[in-house]
Amino acid sequence: MEQAFFKDEKSHKGLLIVISGPSGSGKGTVLSRVFERRTGLFYSVSATTRAPRPGEINGQHYYFLTREEFEEKIKAGGMLEYAQYCGNYYGTPRRAVEEKRAGGLDVVLEIEVQGAALVKKACPDCVTIFIAPPSKEELERRLRGRGTEDDEVIKKRLETAVSEIEHAFDYDYIVVNDEVEKAAEKIDSIITAEKCRSSKYKGL
Amino acid sequence: MEQAFFKDEKSHKGLLIVISGPSGSGKGTVLSRVFERRTGLFYSVSATTRAPRPGEINGQHYYFLTREEFEEKIKAGGMLEYAQYCGNYYGTPRRAVEEKRAGGLDVVLEIEVQGAALVKKACPDCVTIFIAPPSKEELERRLRGRGTEDDEVIKKRLETAVSEIEHAFDYDYIVVNDEVEKAAEKIDSIITAEKCRSSKYKGL
């Protein structure tokens, strides 16, 4: 057995990576590429009390809970963060996050701006990344490109996106998604870099 | 002209990257690979009052200055940091660092532990990376592998290296060099990640 100077990387606790991005940021596509690029990631599935939409699978898109189940979980400290939107609860189950991190996996939370702020408070060692569209015009093109929404809906989405982008500076990192592959590479690099932080090597 | 949400990356100020590593860490080889892997890096050449050794070129290995020239530069605020070892001055000329950063280049300072601490004080926005050998045994093998030194010299070098490694936690990042290519990739990722810090995107 050789006398290592630092704790073996394999024994490090996994990162908690919090990712936000407005509608039109291309967050979903970028994240898929990040999961293809690197191993050791675990995608945290949120819980909600809203009804499943057609095609949504329990445990994959969301954990679908009753209001009673959700509130029990809150009382038992089982939610890392939660909030209500349009009369429904949304939240991050704590247990999976903690178990996967303890096992060395890097946990990815895809979450909106308010939830991200709550996670940062609960877990100050988390790494927060904001994925942004490159410009207002490109954002509008992307939102229109879907071709399914009328002008009023697009205008509303654009406004919401712009107001979310104002929170970008509260995040540790900003990744401007002008090209999916480049944006995925940046997130990949951020994860690699954060695993090299000197604090991670403390203790033998 | 599209309405960008954030300052264009090309207009960001370059990073100041401070890299230390003891004799036997393989720092030189790793750094060479980093310079091959990415563009936009500028290697800062130190200044010294010691005499050039055979083969050393002024402006490439060091800027060789007289004692008077060096002290004038100190007085004029021209040194980012400096120290004396064995009766000679060693230091980092400030001007090149600031000009290259202003031009968007990422400046790399290869510097020992005391100098790195001084640079961190003078430029708190610098990024500090410590390159470490994986284990005491591997360090000794590397130092012996050169085959040029006697036991006493190697013992002394090993002691110095071990005492330097104790400062690793003062750095932002630790890169354990067990494989050159992996270590270079980590440093490459750290630079990419640091360029994504939200603070870099402030101001339009």
Side-chain angles (χ1 to χ4, degrees), chain B residues 44-124:
Chain B
S44 163
V45 176
S46 297
T48 183
T49 56
R50 80 151 166 77
R53 291 180 191 140
E56 282 186 339
I57 298 161
N58 186 38
Q60 183 180 330
H61 297 90
Y62 279 101
Y63 289 107
F64 295 102
L65 304 181
T66 64
R67 216 169 162 81
E68 293 68 41
E69 287 169 331
F70 204 108
E71 288 176 345
E72 291 250 320
K73 262 202 176 292
I74 295 173
K75 265 190 216 150
M79 287 293 172
L80 195 59
E81 58 80 32
Y82 67 93
Q84 293 202 56
Y85 300 98
C86 312
N88 284 305
Y89 279 116
Y90 292 81
T92 305
R94 182 191 296 274
R95 197 168 139 185
V97 170
E98 289 181 352
E99 283 179 359
K100 298 298 173 181
R101 291 185 74 187
L105 288 177
D106 301 311
V107 174
V108 175
L109 283 189
E110 191 186 339
I111 200 170
E112 39 56 65
V113 171
Q114 287 81 359
L118 291 171
V119 174
K120 190 75 182 174
K121 228 177 224 173
C123 304

Coordinates of all heavy atoms in Angstrom, one line a residue, chain B residues 44-124:
Chain B
S44 N 3.8 33.4 -18.5 CA 4.6 34.5 -17.9 C 6.0 34.1 -17.6 O 6.2 33.2 -16.8 CB 3.8 35.0 -16.7 OG 4.7 35.8 -15.9
V45 N 7.0 34.8 -18.1 CA 8.4 34.5 -17.8 C 8.8 35.3 -16.6 O 8.6 36.5 -16.5 CB 9.3 34.8 -19.0 CG1 10.7 34.6 -18.7 CG2 8.8 34.0 -20.2
S46 N 9.4 34.7 -15.6 CA 9.8 35.3 -14.4 C 11.1 36.1 -14.6 O 11.8 35.9 -15.6 CB 10.1 34.3 -13.3 OG 9.0 33.6 -13.0
A47 N 11.4 37.0 -13.7 CA 12.7 37.8 -13.7 C 13.5 37.3 -12.6 O 13.0 36.9 -11.6 CB 12.4 39.3 -13.6
T48 N 14.9 37.4 -12.8 CA 15.8 37.0 -11.7 C 17.1 37.7 -11.8 O 17.5 38.2 -12.9 CB 16.1 35.5 -11.7 OG1 16.9 35.1 -10.6 CG2 16.8 35.0 -13.0
T49 N 17.8 37.8 -10.7 CA 19.1 38.4 -10.7 C 20.2 37.4 -10.7 O 21.4 37.7 -10.8 CB 19.3 39.3 -9.5 OG1 19.1 38.6 -8.3 CG2 18.4 40.5 -9.5
R50 N 19.8 36.1 -10.7 CA 20.9 35.1 -10.7 C 21.4 35.0 -12.2 O 20.8 35.3 -13.1 CB 20.4 33.7 -10.2 CG 19.6 32.9 -11.2 CD 19.7 31.4 -10.8 NE 18.7 30.6 -11.5 CZ 18.8 30.2 -12.8 NH1 19.7 30.7 -13.6 NH2 17.8 29.4 -13.3
A51 N 22.7 34.5 -12.2 CA 23.3 34.4 -13.6 C 22.7 33.3 -14.4 O 22.2 32.3 -13.8 CB 24.8 34.1 -13.3
P52 N 22.6 33.5 -15.7 CA 22.0 32.4 -16.6 C 22.9 31.2 -16.5 O 24.1 31.3 -16.5 CB 22.0 33.0 -18.0 CG 22.5 34.4 -17.8 CD 23.0 34.7 -16.5
R53 N 22.2 30.0 -16.5 CA 23.0 28.7 -16.6 C 23.2 28.4 -18.1 O 22.5 29.0 -19.0 CB 22.2 27.6 -16.0 CG 22.1 27.8 -14.5 CD 21.3 26.6 -13.8 NE 21.0 27.0 -12.4 CZ 19.9 26.7 -11.8 NH1 18.9 26.1 -12.5 NH2 19.7 27.0 -10.5
P54 N 24.2 27.6 -18.4 CA 24.4 27.2 -19.8 C 23.1 26.8 -20.5 O 22.4 26.0 -20.0 CB 25.4 26.1 -19.8 CG 26.1 26.2 -18.4 CD 25.1 26.8 -17.5
G55 N 22.9 27.4 -21.7 CA 21.7 27.1 -22.4 C 20.4 27.9 -22.1 O 19.5 27.9 -22.9
E56 N 20.5 28.6 -21.0 CA 19.3 29.5 -20.7 C 19.2 30.7 -21.5 O 20.3 31.4 -21.7 CB 19.3 29.8 -19.2 CG 18.8 28.6 -18.3 CD 18.7 29.0 -16.8 OE1 19.3 30.0 -16.4 OE2 18.0 28.3 -16.1
I57 N 18.1 31.0 -22.0 CA 17.9 32.2 -22.9 C 17.1 33.3 -22.2 O 16.1 33.0 -21.6 CB 17.2 31.7 -24.2 CG1 18.0 30.7 -24.9 CG2 16.9 32.9 -25.1 CD1 17.2 29.8 -25.9
N58 N 17.6 34.5 -22.3 CA 17.0 35.7 -21.7 C 15.6 35.9 -22.4 O 15.5 35.9 -23.6 CB 17.8 36.9 -21.9 CG 17.2 38.1 -21.2 OD1 16.7 38.0 -20.1 ND2 17.3 39.3 -21.8
G59 N 14.6 36.0 -21.6 CA 13.2 36.2 -22.1 C 12.5 34.9 -22.4 O 11.3 34.9 -22.7
Q60 N 13.2 33.8 -22.3 CA 12.5 32.5 -22.5 C 12.5 31.7 -21.2 O 11.4 31.4 -20.7 CB 13.2 31.7 -23.6 CG 12.5 30.4 -23.9 CD 13.2 29.6 -25.0 OE1 13.8 30.2 -25.9 NE2 13.1 28.3 -25.0
H61 N 13.6 31.5 -20.6 CA 13.7 30.8 -19.3 C 13.5 31.8 -18.2 O 12.7 31.5 -17.2 CB 15.0 30.1 -19.1 CG 15.2 29.0 -20.2 ND1 15.8 29.2 -21.4 CD2 14.8 27.7 -20.2 CE1 15.8 28.1 -22.1 NE2 15.2 27.2 -21.4
Y62 N 14.1 32.9 -18.3 CA 14.0 34.0 -17.3 C 14.3 35.3 -18.0 O 14.9 35.3 -19.1 CB 15.0 33.9 -16.2 CG 14.6 32.9 -15.1 CD1 15.2 31.6 -15.1 CD2 13.8 33.3 -14.1 CE1 14.9 30.7 -14.1 CE2 13.4 32.3 -13.1 CZ 14.0 31.1 -13.1 OH 13.7 30.2 -12.1
Y63 N 13.8 36.4 -17.4 CA 14.4 37.7 -17.8 C 15.6 37.9 -16.8 O 15.4 38.0 -15.6 CB 13.4 38.9 -17.6 CG 12.4 38.8 -18.7 CD1 11.1 38.4 -18.4 CD2 12.7 39.2 -20.0 CE1 10.1 38.4 -19.4 CE2 11.7 39.1 -21.0 CZ 10.4 38.7 -20.7 OH 9.5 38.7 -21.7
F64 N 16.8 38.0 -17.3 CA 18.0 38.1 -16.4 C 18.2 39.6 -16.2 O 18.6 40.3 -17.2 CB 19.1 37.4 -17.0 CG 18.9 35.9 -17.1 CD1 18.6 35.3 -18.3 CD2 19.0 35.1 -15.9 CE1 18.4 33.9 -18.3 CE2 18.8 33.8 -16.0 CZ 18.5 33.2 -17.2
L65 N 18.1 40.1 -15.0 CA 18.3 41.5 -14.7 C 19.4 41.6 -13.7 O 19.8 40.7 -13.0 CB 17.0 42.1 -14.0 CG 15.7 41.9 -14.8 CD1 14.6 42.6 -13.9 CD2 15.7 42.6 -16.1
T66 N 20.0 42.9 -13.7 CA 21.0 43.2 -12.7 C 20.2 43.5 -11.4 O 19.0 43.7 -11.4 CB 21.9 44.4 -13.0 OG1 21.0 45.5 -13.1 CG2 22.6 44.2 -14.4
R67 N 21.0 43.4 -10.3 CA 20.4 43.8 -9.0 C 19.7 45.2 -9.0 O 18.7 45.4 -8.5 CB 21.5 43.7 -7.9 CG 21.0 43.2 -6.6 CD 22.0 42.8 -5.6 NE 21.2 42.8 -4.4 CZ 20.5 41.7 -4.0 NH1 20.5 40.6 -4.7 NH2 19.9 41.8 -2.8
E68 N 20.4 46.1 -9.7 CA 20.0 47.5 -9.7 C 18.7 47.6 -10.5 O 17.7 48.2 -10.1 CB 21.0 48.4 -10.4 CG 22.3 48.6 -9.5 CD 23.1 47.3 -9.4 OE1 23.2 46.6 -10.5 OE2 23.5 46.9 -8.3
E69 N 18.7 46.9 -11.7 CA 17.4 46.9 -12.5 C 16.2 46.3 -11.8 O 15.1 46.8 -11.8 CB 17.7 46.1 -13.8 CG 18.6 46.7 -14.8 CD 19.0 45.8 -15.9 OE1 19.1 44.5 -15.7 OE2 19.3 46.3 -17.1
F70 N 16.5 45.2 -11.1 CA 15.4 44.5 -10.3 C 14.9 45.4 -9.2 O 13.7 45.6 -9.1 CB 15.9 43.2 -9.7 CG 14.9 42.2 -9.5 CD1 14.7 41.1 -10.2 CD2 13.9 42.4 -8.4 CE1 13.7 40.1 -10.0 CE2 12.9 41.5 -8.2 CZ 12.8 40.4 -9.0
E71 N 15.8 46.1 -8.5 CA 15.3 47.0 -7.4 C 14.6 48.2 -7.9 O 13.7 48.7 -7.3 CB 16.5 47.3 -6.5 CG 16.9 46.1 -5.7 CD 18.2 46.3 -4.8 OE1 18.9 47.3 -5.0 OE2 18.4 45.5 -3.9
E72 N 15.0 48.7 -9.1 CA 14.3 49.8 -9.7 C 12.9 49.4 -10.0 O 11.9 50.1 -9.8 CB 15.0 50.2 -11.0 CG 16.3 50.8 -10.9 CD 16.3 52.3 -11.2 OE1 15.6 52.6 -12.2 OE2 16.9 53.1 -10.5
K73 N 12.7 48.2 -10.6 CA 11.4 47.7 -11.0 C 10.5 47.5 -9.7 O 9.3 47.9 -9.8 CB 11.5 46.3 -11.7 CG 11.5 46.4 -13.2 CD 11.1 45.1 -13.8 CE 11.0 45.1 -15.3 NZ 9.8 45.9 -15.8
I74 N 11.1 47.0 -8.6 CA 10.3 46.9 -7.4 C 9.8 48.3 -7.0 O 8.6 48.5 -6.7 CB 11.2 46.3 -6.3 CG1 11.6 44.9 -6.6 CG2 10.4 46.3 -4.9 CD1 12.6 44.3 -5.6
K75 N 10.7 49.3 -6.9 CA 10.4 50.6 -6.5 C 9.3 51.2 -7.4 O 8.4 51.9 -6.9 CB 11.6 51.6 -6.6 CG 12.4 51.7 -5.3 CD 13.4 52.8 -5.4 CE 14.6 52.4 -4.6 NZ 15.9 53.0 -5.2
A76 N 9.3 50.9 -8.7 CA 8.3 51.5 -9.6 C 7.0 50.7 -9.6 O 6.1 51.0 -10.4 CB 8.9 51.5 -11.0
G77 N 6.9 49.7 -8.7 CA 5.7 48.9 -8.6 C 5.6 47.9 -9.8 O 4.5 47.4 -10.1
G78 N 6.7 47.6 -10.4 CA 6.7 46.8 -11.6 C 6.7 45.3 -11.4 O 6.7 44.5 -12.3
M79 N 6.8 44.9 -10.1 CA 6.8 43.4 -9.8 C 5.5 43.1 -9.1 O 5.1 43.6 -8.1 CB 7.9 43.1 -8.9 CG 9.3 43.1 -9.6 SD 9.4 41.8 -10.8 CE 11.0 42.3 -11.6
L80 N 4.8 42.1 -9.6 CA 3.5 41.6 -9.1 C 3.8 40.9 -7.7 O 3.1 41.0 -6.8 CB 2.9 40.6 -10.0 CG 1.5 40.2 -9.8 CD1 0.6 41.4 -9.9 CD2 1.1 39.1 -10.9
E81 N 4.9 40.2 -7.7 CA 5.5 39.6 -6.4 C 6.9 39.4 -6.7 O 7.4 39.3 -7.8 CB 4.8 38.3 -6.1 CG 4.9 37.2 -7.2 CD 6.2 36.4 -7.2 OE1 6.8 36.2 -6.1 OE2 6.6 36.0 -8.3
Y82 N 7.7 39.3 -5.6 CA 9.1 39.0 -5.6 C 9.6 38.5 -4.3 O 8.9 38.7 -3.3 CB 9.9 40.2 -6.1 CG 10.0 41.3 -5.0 CD1 11.0 41.4 -4.1 CD2 9.0 42.3 -5.0 CE1 11.0 42.3 -3.1 CE2 9.0 43.2 -4.0 CZ 10.0 43.3 -3.1 OH 10.0 44.2 -2.1
A83 N 10.7 37.8 -4.3 CA 11.3 37.2 -3.1 C 12.8 37.0 -3.4 O 13.2 37.1 -4.5 CB 10.6 35.9 -2.7
Q84 N 13.5 36.8 -2.3 CA 15.0 36.5 -2.5 C 15.2 35.1 -2.0 O 14.7 34.6 -1.0 CB 15.8 37.5 -1.6 CG 15.7 38.9 -2.1 CD 16.9 39.7 -1.6 OE1 18.1 39.4 -1.9 NE2 16.7 40.8 -0.9
Y85 N 16.0 34.4 -2.8 CA 16.4 33.0 -2.4 C 17.9 33.0 -2.7 O 18.4 33.3 -3.8 CB 15.8 31.9 -3.3 CG 14.3 31.9 -3.2 CD1 13.5 32.5 -4.2 CD2 13.6 31.3 -2.1 CE1 12.1 32.6 -4.1 CE2 12.3 31.3 -2.0 CZ 11.5 31.9 -3.0 OH 10.2 31.9 -2.9
C86 N 18.6 32.5 -1.7 CA 20.1 32.3 -1.8 C 20.7 33.6 -2.4 O 21.6 33.5 -3.3 CB 20.5 31.1 -2.8 SG 19.6 29.6 -2.4
G87 N 20.3 34.7 -1.9 CA 20.9 36.0 -2.3 C 20.5 36.6 -3.6 O 21.0 37.6 -4.0
N88 N 19.6 35.9 -4.3 CA 19.1 36.4 -5.6 C 17.6 36.7 -5.6 O 16.9 36.1 -4.9 CB 19.4 35.4 -6.7 CG 20.8 35.3 -7.1 OD1 21.5 36.3 -7.5 ND2 21.4 34.1 -7.0
Y89 N 17.3 37.8 -6.3 CA 15.9 38.1 -6.5 C 15.2 37.2 -7.5 O 15.8 36.9 -8.6 CB 15.7 39.6 -7.0 CG 15.9 40.6 -5.9 CD1 16.9 41.5 -6.0 CD2 14.9 40.8 -4.9 CE1 17.0 42.5 -5.0 CE2 15.0 41.8 -3.9 CZ 16.1 42.6 -4.0 OH 16.2 43.6 -3.1
Y90 N 14.0 36.9 -7.3 CA 13.1 36.2 -8.3 C 11.8 37.0 -8.2 O 11.3 37.3 -7.1 CB 12.9 34.8 -7.9 CG 14.1 33.9 -8.1 CD1 15.0 33.9 -7.0 CD2 14.3 33.1 -9.2 CE1 16.2 33.1 -7.2 CE2 15.4 32.3 -9.3 CZ 16.4 32.3 -8.3 OH 17.5 31.5 -8.4
G91 N 11.1 37.2 -9.4 CA 9.9 37.9 -9.3 C 9.1 37.8 -10.6 O 9.6 37.3 -11.6
T92 N 7.8 38.3 -10.5 CA 6.9 38.3 -11.7 C 6.7 39.7 -12.2 O 6.1 40.5 -11.5 CB 5.6 37.7 -11.3 OG1 5.8 36.4 -10.7 CG2 4.7 37.6 -12.5
P93 N 7.2 40.0 -13.4 CA 7.0 41.4 -13.9 C 5.5 41.6 -14.1 O 4.8 40.7 -14.7 CB 7.7 41.3 -15.3 CG 8.7 40.2 -15.2 CD 8.0 39.2 -14.3
R94 N 5.0 42.7 -13.6 CA 3.5 43.0 -13.6 C 3.0 43.3 -15.0 O 1.9 42.9 -15.3 CB 3.3 44.1 -12.7 CG 1.8 44.5 -12.5 CD 1.6 45.8 -11.8 NE 2.1 45.7 -10.4 CZ 1.4 45.3 -9.4 NH1 0.2 44.9 -9.6 NH2 1.9 45.3 -8.2
R95 N 3.7 44.1 -15.8 CA 3.2 44.7 -17.0 C 2.6 43.6 -18.0 O 1.5 43.8 -18.5 CB 4.2 45.6 -17.6 CG 3.6 46.5 -18.6 CD 4.6 47.6 -19.1 NE 4.5 47.8 -20.5 CZ 5.3 48.6 -21.2 NH1 6.3 49.2 -20.5 NH2 5.2 48.8 -22.4
A96 N 3.5 42.6 -18.3 CA 3.1 41.6 -19.3 C 1.8 40.9 -18.8 O 0.9 40.7 -19.6 CB 4.2 40.6 -19.5
V97 N 1.7 40.6 -17.5 CA 0.6 39.9 -17.0 C -0.7 40.7 -17.2 O -1.7 40.3 -17.7 CB 0.7 39.6 -15.5 CG1 -0.6 39.1 -14.8 CG2 1.9 38.6 -15.2
E98 N -0.6 42.0 -16.9 CA -1.8 42.9 -17.0 C -2.2 43.2 -18.4 O -3.4 43.1 -18.8 CB -1.6 44.2 -16.2 CG -1.6 43.9 -14.7 CD -1.4 45.2 -13.9 OE1 -1.1 46.2 -14.5 OE2 -1.5 45.0 -12.7
E99 N -1.2 43.4 -19.3 CA -1.5 43.6 -20.7 C -2.1 42.4 -21.4 O -3.1 42.6 -22.1 CB -0.2 44.0 -21.5 CG 0.2 45.5 -21.2 CD 1.4 45.9 -21.9 OE1 2.0 45.0 -22.6 OE2 1.9 47.1 -21.7
K100 N -1.6 41.3 -21.1 CA -2.1 40.1 -21.8 C -3.5 39.8 -21.3 O -4.4 39.4 -22.1 CB -1.2 38.8 -21.5 CG 0.2 39.0 -22.1 CD 0.3 39.2 -23.6 CE 1.7 39.5 -24.0 NZ 1.8 39.6 -25.5
R101 N -3.7 39.9 -20.0 CA -5.1 39.7 -19.5 C -6.1 40.6 -20.1 O -7.2 40.3 -20.5 CB -5.1 39.8 -17.9 CG -4.4 38.7 -17.2 CD -4.6 38.9 -15.7 NE -5.9 38.5 -15.3 CZ -6.4 38.6 -14.1 NH1 -5.7 39.2 -13.2 NH2 -7.6 38.2 -13.8
A102 N -5.7 41.9 -20.2 CA -6.6 42.9 -20.7 C -6.9 42.6 -22.2 O -8.0 42.8 -22.7 CB -5.9 44.3 -20.6
G103 N -6.0 41.9 -22.9 CA -6.2 41.5 -24.3 C -6.9 40.2 -24.4 O -7.1 39.7 -25.5
G104 N -7.4 39.6 -23.2 CA -8.2 38.4 -23.3 C -7.4 37.1 -23.2 O -8.0 36.1 -23.2
L105 N -6.1 37.2 -23.1 CA -5.3 36.0 -22.9 C -5.3 35.5 -21.4 O -5.3 36.3 -20.5 CB -3.9 36.2 -23.4 CG -3.6 36.4 -24.9 CD1 -2.1 36.6 -25.1 CD2 -4.1 35.1 -25.6
D106 N -5.3 34.2 -21.3 CA -5.2 33.6 -19.9 C -3.7 33.4 -19.6 O -3.0 32.7 -20.3 CB -6.0 32.3 -19.9 CG -7.4 32.5 -20.2 OD1 -8.1 33.4 -19.7 OD2 -7.9 31.7 -21.1
V107 N -3.3 34.1 -18.5 CA -1.9 34.1 -18.2 C -1.5 33.0 -17.2 O -2.2 32.9 -16.2 CB -1.5 35.5 -17.6 CG1 0.0 35.5 -17.1 CG2 -1.7 36.6 -18.7
V108 N -0.5 32.2 -17.5 CA -0.1 31.1 -16.6 C 1.2 31.5 -15.9 O 2.2 31.9 -16.6 CB 0.1 29.8 -17.4 CG1 0.7 28.7 -16.5 CG2 -1.2 29.4 -18.1
L109 N 1.2 31.5 -14.6 CA 2.3 31.8 -13.8 C 2.8 30.4 -13.1 O 2.0 29.9 -12.4 CB 2.0 32.7 -12.6 CG 1.9 34.2 -12.8 CD1 1.8 34.9 -11.4 CD2 3.1 34.7 -13.6
E110 N 4.0 30.0 -13.4 CA 4.5 28.8 -12.8 C 5.4 29.3 -11.7 O 6.4 29.9 -12.0 CB 5.3 28.0 -13.8 CG 5.6 26.6 -13.4 CD 6.5 25.9 -14.4 OE1 6.5 26.3 -15.6 OE2 7.2 25.0 -14.0
I111 N 5.1 29.0 -10.5 CA 5.7 29.7 -9.4 C 5.7 28.9 -8.1 O 4.8 28.0 -8.0 CB 4.9 31.1 -9.2 CG1 5.7 32.1 -8.5 CG2 3.6 30.8 -8.6 CD1 4.9 33.5 -8.5
E112 N 6.6 29.1 -7.2 CA 6.7 28.3 -6.0 C 5.7 28.8 -4.9 O 5.0 29.8 -5.1 CB 8.1 28.1 -5.4 CG 9.0 29.3 -5.4 CD 8.4 30.4 -4.7 OE1 8.2 30.3 -3.5 OE2 8.1 31.5 -5.4
V113 N 5.6 28.0 -3.8 CA 4.5 28.1 -2.9 C 4.4 29.6 -2.3 O 3.3 30.1 -2.2 CB 4.6 27.1 -1.8 CG1 3.7 27.3 -0.6 CG2 4.4 25.7 -2.3
Q114 N 5.5 30.1 -1.9 CA 5.5 31.5 -1.2 C 5.1 32.5 -2.2 O 4.3 33.4 -1.9 CB 6.9 31.8 -0.7 CG 7.3 31.1 0.6 CD 7.9 29.7 0.3 OE1 7.9 29.3 -0.9 NE2 8.2 29.0 1.3
G115 N 5.6 32.4 -3.5 CA 5.2 33.4 -4.5 C 3.7 33.3 -4.8 O 3.1 34.3 -5.0
A116 N 3.2 32.1 -4.9 CA 1.8 31.9 -5.2 C 0.9 32.6 -4.1 O -0.1 33.2 -4.4 CB 1.4 30.4 -5.2
A117 N 1.3 32.5 -2.8 CA 0.5 33.1 -1.8 C 0.6 34.7 -2.0 O -0.4 35.3 -1.7 CB 1.1 32.7 -0.4
L118 N 1.7 35.2 -2.4 CA 1.8 36.6 -2.6 C 1.0 37.1 -3.8 O 0.3 38.1 -3.7 CB 3.3 37.0 -2.9 CG 4.2 36.9 -1.7 CD1 5.7 37.1 -2.1 CD2 3.9 37.9 -0.6
V119 N 0.9 36.3 -4.9 CA 0.1 36.6 -6.0 C -1.4 36.6 -5.6 O -2.2 37.5 -6.0 CB 0.3 35.7 -7.2 CG1 -0.6 36.0 -8.3 CG2 1.8 35.8 -7.7
K120 N -1.8 35.6 -4.8 CA -3.2 35.5 -4.4 C -3.6 36.8 -3.6 O -4.7 37.3 -3.7 CB -3.4 34.3 -3.5 CG -4.8 33.9 -3.2 CD -5.5 33.3 -4.4 CE -7.0 33.0 -4.2 NZ -7.6 32.5 -5.4
K121 N -2.6 37.3 -2.8 CA -2.9 38.5 -2.1 C -3.0 39.7 -3.0 O -3.9 40.5 -2.9 CB -1.7 38.8 -1.1 CG -2.2 39.1 0.3 CD -1.1 39.2 1.3 CE -1.3 38.5 2.6 NZ -0.2 38.5 3.5
A122 N -2.1 39.8 -4.0 CA -2.1 41.0 -4.9 C -3.3 40.9 -5.9 O -3.8 41.9 -6.2 CB -0.8 41.0 -5.6
C123 N -3.6 39.7 -6.3 CA -4.7 39.5 -7.3 C -5.7 38.4 -6.8 O -5.6 37.3 -7.2 CB -4.2 39.0 -8.6 SG -2.9 40.1 -9.3
P124 N -6.6 38.8 -5.9 CA -7.5 37.8 -5.3 C -8.4 37.1 -6.4 O -8.9 36.0 -6.1 CB -8.4 38.6 -4.4 CG -7.7 39.9 -4.2 CD -6.9 40.2 -5.4

